Amino acid sequence: MLGKDEIRQILQARFSGDLHKKMSEIPHPCDLKECYKAAERIKRAIERDERIVVVGDYDVDGVVSSAIVADFLSLMGAEFSVRIPNRFTDGYGLSEEIIGELRGTDLILTVDNGITANEAAKLAKKHKIDLVITDHHMPGAVLPDAFAIVNPKQPGCTFPNVEICGAQVAWYLVGALKDVCGVNLDMTKYLDLLSVAIVADMMELRGMNRVLVRSGLRQMNKLRRPCFEAIRCFLGKRNFDFEDISFLIAPLINSAGRMDDATISYKFLRARNFTEANFLFEKIKEFNDSRKAEERALFDELLARVDERDRVLVLWGEGWHEGVLGIVASRVSKQFNKPCIVFSIDGERAKGSARSVEKFDILELIGEGSELLLGFGGHKGAAGVSMLTSNLEAFRQKMNSAKALCELSEARFYEGLLGEIDMHALDGELLALLDEFEPYGQKNPRPLFQICDAFVVGVKPLGREGKHIKIALKKGDAFAEVIFFNFDYMPQMGELLSLVVSVSRNVWAGQESVQVLVKEILCSE
């Protein structure tokens, strides 16, 4: 049974192999292949007043990348513009259409995209446009023909942390630019923005990434950047904590790109004062409210369509909002503990988002049906897919008969489950201990605990609609109250329960308390 000392030892062991544990230990720009080559070309463009265009991406990582690079170019008085593709009219990344639009440009700099833009690179060369690509996605077999490519995953790059996001690559490029341009610039001024991109892009929160996010949160609460001040005032918070980044800040910034145009979020991040930031934030709140409404409506519709006999849930419909497909696929996947792929049909084509469960590799699964697809890409946990509408049913059948399913467990696996906890340990001291090992996320999951064979001594409904309950538990001389949101089982007085729980901080009317949340009731007697 786990006490606080055992919990501390388990959590400390997670970071024993980390290469970088403080800012002074993180890699340098010279560790990124062609980073200084790219910086020298950008410096030359600045000095010659050449026309520079930064091409970003519509998610949080791409918007933050664009904002960081734009801040430096503004500082240098460069002639530049930022082009963030629209999810609905442009699609993802640097395309031939965008190159055609940018004819007459001297230098195009991509951030968080471009590593597979081979055809666009050819067209840029034809139009005598120098192309510098900065990206973190997996390269194809053939790299684009660009002036310089900065990507830790490209062949020959010796950067020690390959799992960094696009904004980190852009930050390193700015670090190289600072050197070659001889500018006195404090690179920590960008850490607040960088922390949001790292968390939003689901990077591993170990080593360098953990160091940057921890430093970034301190900067966020210290610098009071206008965009974050607008969010903080709206939420009525004195300071942000780590969970605010993933559950509040990132979704808000992402909402403009999901529902309309991410350029609004880019302008929001670069707002010069609180008045400007608040004006843009009003628009972002509207997008976020629309996103939530679309998400709720589609989720309810999907629940009615699920065939629980399928091991992989493949669902589709006409005109579903592309901006919320991934979010809803994730919710359905968690609800049924099964991989889920959701498609929106637009005439003869269908575009989809896939989400996995636990450690199951959904990209490998989708690859088994590649002959039915127009294209797909992503990683083990999430992917994007496109195909002809006529192939949807065949794809559903293929997914449910795929060889990869032999690796899919029907049992629910809880990453971060440390073991059975002594109920006496569920107190404020445990909360303080857990705080030491934040931020939690990829490769550093929030600790979960088992409570085994505890007697139910009270059950109380919570909320106006009675969808939640508070359960009072007793084991020996230990007592605890746990909250079960959206409960799917009603315990009875005197019943013996075993549970999986998480421990978090609840703040109400300025008072903090320990909150124990039920993830699942494992068994009862």
Side-chain angles (χ1 to χ4, degrees), residues 169-188:
V169 179
W171 182 66
Y172 268 106
L173 175 64
V174 170
L177 279 165
K178 165 183 177 285
D179 288 347
V180 301
C181 294
V183 177
N184 183 16
L185 177 66
D186 182 1
M187 293 299 294
T188 65

Side-chain angles (χ1 to χ4, degrees), residues 441-457:
Q442 298 297 307
K443 296 294 184 178
N444 182 32
R446 175 166 286 281
L448 299 176
F449 307 97
Q450 282 181 284
I451 295 175
C452 298
D453 300 328
F455 285 100
V456 177
V457 294

Side-chain angles (χ1 to χ4, degrees), residues 349-406:
R349 295 198 172 203
K351 185 177 179 181
S353 285
R355 294 295 183 271
S356 188
V357 289
E358 309 305 343
K359 296 182 178 180
F360 182 69
D361 189 341
I362 200 163
L363 202 59
E364 180 185 344
L365 174 73
I366 292 170
E368 290 195 39
S370 60
E371 73 279 2
L372 297 169
L373 307 178
L374 295 172
F376 72 101
H379 52 79
K380 289 183 178 182
V385 195
S386 62
M387 71 172 71
L388 294 175
T389 303
S390 56
N391 285 338
L392 282 166
E393 179 55 33
F395 180 72
R396 185 188 72 81
Q397 293 178 22
K398 184 74 173 180
M399 292 297 94
N400 279 280
S401 61
K403 293 177 183 178
L405 291 182
C406 66

Side-chain angles (χ1 to χ4, degrees), residues 418-429:
L418 304 191
E420 182 183 356
I421 192 169
D422 182 345
M423 281 174 46
H424 291 97
L426 297 170
D427 57 17
E429 190 178 328

Side-chain angles (χ1 to χ4, degrees), residues 426-437:
L426 297 170
D427 57 17
E429 190 178 328
L430 175 62
L431 270 182
L433 188 160
L434 297 179
D435 286 348
E436 294 177 30
F437 298 95

